Amino acid sequence: MMLVGATGAACAVDPRYPDWPCVQAKVPEISLSAVWAGPPLDEASSKWKDDARISALVARLAARRTPMDEAEKLVTDFLKQAGSDKTATGTLIFAGLFDTLNAERGAVLKGLERVTRKQRAAAEQIRADTLALQVLQGASPPDAGKIEQLGNQLVWQTRIFDDRRRVVSFVCEVPVAIDRRLFALGRVIQQEME
């Protein structure tokens, strides 16, 4: 039985993050200056949750199931209703988005690294079971029942390993999508504030 050798961690791009499975470099947090050129978020970071309408809007905007064109329209409509408070309201909305999406992104990063550690452990178990199977097959006389049981176990372990590997490559795109969403919505908010 053949074992897929790469678990993702063996290919870590940055030695500081040995459990990082993605091709993209790991950036632990979104840099505020990379996505926002508006007013400082100092007070807004703690006040956006106090406004139920802004909190509800932030939840809808942050949800990836909300299409970007719909999210942009929600921002535009909301800020049109803000009147002379556009700057303060826009800053609160962005502060909420920044907090929410940065936290969501952090959870995704931790999840990816957790799966990588599980993959590494699974690869080690598959290797050990493969060696055990080879020993059983070489025994005289071979124990057909044990060989079949361990062979079936290896098939399932390998299938799970491969399925996780495919999922990880898909999930590696999630932090990038979050970054893009935050940048795009930040740009719309800033345009509407002007």
Side-chain angles (χ1 to χ4, degrees):
M1 178 169 283
M2 189 89 165
L3 171 66
V4 178
T7 64
C11 303
V13 176
D14 188 336
R16 294 176 298 169
Y17 308 112
D19 294 332
W20 183 244
C22 304
V23 174
Q24 306 91 331
K26 180 181 178 186
V27 179
E29 289 188 346
I30 301 170
S31 167
L32 179 61
S33 62
V35 292
W36 181 249
L41 300 183
D42 304 330
E43 289 182 27
S45 292
S46 60
K47 290 186 177 180
W48 70 269
K49 292 178 186 175
D50 298 339
D51 187 319
R53 290 181 57 223
I54 289 178
S55 292
L57 177 64
V58 164
R60 285 189 67 193
L61 296 174
R64 285 175 301 200
R65 68 181 172 272
T66 304
M68 276 304 294
D69 56 342
E70 182 182 330
E72 291 171 355
K73 185 172 180 351
L74 287 168
V75 167
T76 303
D77 293 347
F78 196 91
L79 288 177
K80 281 182 183 171
Q81 295 173 4
S84 62
D85 290 339
K86 271 187 182 181
T87 300
T89 302
T91 303
L92 287 172
I93 293 168
F94 186 78
L97 277 171
F98 186 75
D99 288 350
T100 302
L101 290 176
N102 221 2
E104 180 182 324
R105 187 177 177 280
V108 170
L109 298 181
K110 286 179 184 172
L112 281 164
E113 290 178 324
R114 186 173 49 252
V115 169
T116 298
R117 288 187 293 275
K118 284 182 180 180
Q119 283 291 85
R120 188 179 300 123
E124 290 171 11
Q125 185 62 52
I126 291 169
R127 278 186 209 99
D129 288 349
T130 300
L131 292 173
L133 180 61
Q134 290 170 348
V135 168
L136 284 173
Q137 290 169 334
S140 186
D143 184 338
K146 285 184 179 181
I147 290 172
E148 182 180 357
Q149 181 184 4
L150 192 52
N152 289 337
Q153 180 179 322
L154 276 166
V155 167
W156 279 106
Q157 288 172 329
T158 305
R159 185 175 292 168
I160 291 167
F161 182 90
D162 288 341
D163 287 347
R164 278 189 193 148
R165 186 178 43 78
R166 282 190 286 279
V167 168
V168 164
S169 66
F170 172 75
V171 176
C172 280
E173 296 302 318
V174 173
V176 175
I178 291 171
D179 294 350
R180 286 186 190 135
R181 185 173 197 86
L182 183 60
F183 179 77
L185 289 173
R187 190 176 62 235
V188 170
I189 291 168
Q190 288 173 87
Q191 289 170 351
E192 289 300 317
M193 286 171 35
E194 294 174 356

